[in-house]
Amino acid sequence: MEEEGEMERLETLAGTPLALIERFHHEVRSMADDHAIPAQDLLDRIGQLQAQLYREGEEAFAGFLKEADDTEQQLQERLLQLRTLKERATLLRGLLASMFRPGALG
């Protein structure tokens, strides 16, 4: 179903912060292993990486919220359609029962 794909995408987007944390860990470890980088440069690079990942995280979260809101709106519309359909089916069932209920003639 299409909704399943949307939910999988939303789950992936919701996991973006964890992916950014893992990326930060990997890149800091890589920088720290490079002993040719002076300590102050290392601190500067880590600070730049922090700022970059923060921006990416904020952008990703904004994208997640937009998609989640869109999906929620679509689901609410479908739920309203389903409720309307159930009401009509219940009405028609009542009509059918009143017309063809056994023993209704006597």
Side-chain angles (χ1 to χ4, degrees):
M1 266 191 137
E2 187 177 322
E3 290 89 15
E4 290 177 13
E6 290 175 18
M7 291 307 296
E8 287 177 11
R9 172 138 170 81
L10 288 172
E11 287 179 18
T12 299
L13 290 174
T16 298
L18 182 57
L20 291 174
I21 291 168
E22 290 172 356
R23 184 171 146 204
F24 178 77
H25 177 260
H26 175 74
E27 291 189 30
V28 167
R29 180 168 295 258
S30 177
M31 284 185 242
D33 288 345
D34 185 350
H35 299 288
I37 302 173
Q40 187 57 50
D41 288 348
L42 181 61
L43 287 175
D44 291 344
R45 288 182 185 185
I46 291 171
Q48 291 169 358
L49 180 60
Q50 284 176 312
Q52 176 187 347
L53 294 179
Y54 177 77
R55 282 189 309 273
E56 288 179 25
E58 289 298 300
E59 290 171 9
F61 185 68
F64 164 77
L65 285 181
K66 181 183 180 328
E67 287 196 36
D69 288 344
D70 291 347
T71 299
E72 183 178 20
Q73 179 64 36
Q74 291 170 4
L75 290 172
Q76 287 176 349
E77 290 170 5
R78 300 240 3 223
L79 183 59
L80 180 60
Q81 291 172 347
L82 177 60
R83 286 181 178 154
T84 301
L85 186 60
K86 283 175 60 178
E87 288 173 3
R88 288 181 182 178
T90 301
L91 176 72
L92 292 174
R93 178 186 170 264
L95 176 62
L96 179 68
S98 71
M99 292 175 62
F100 299 111
R101 185 175 308 132
L105 295 176

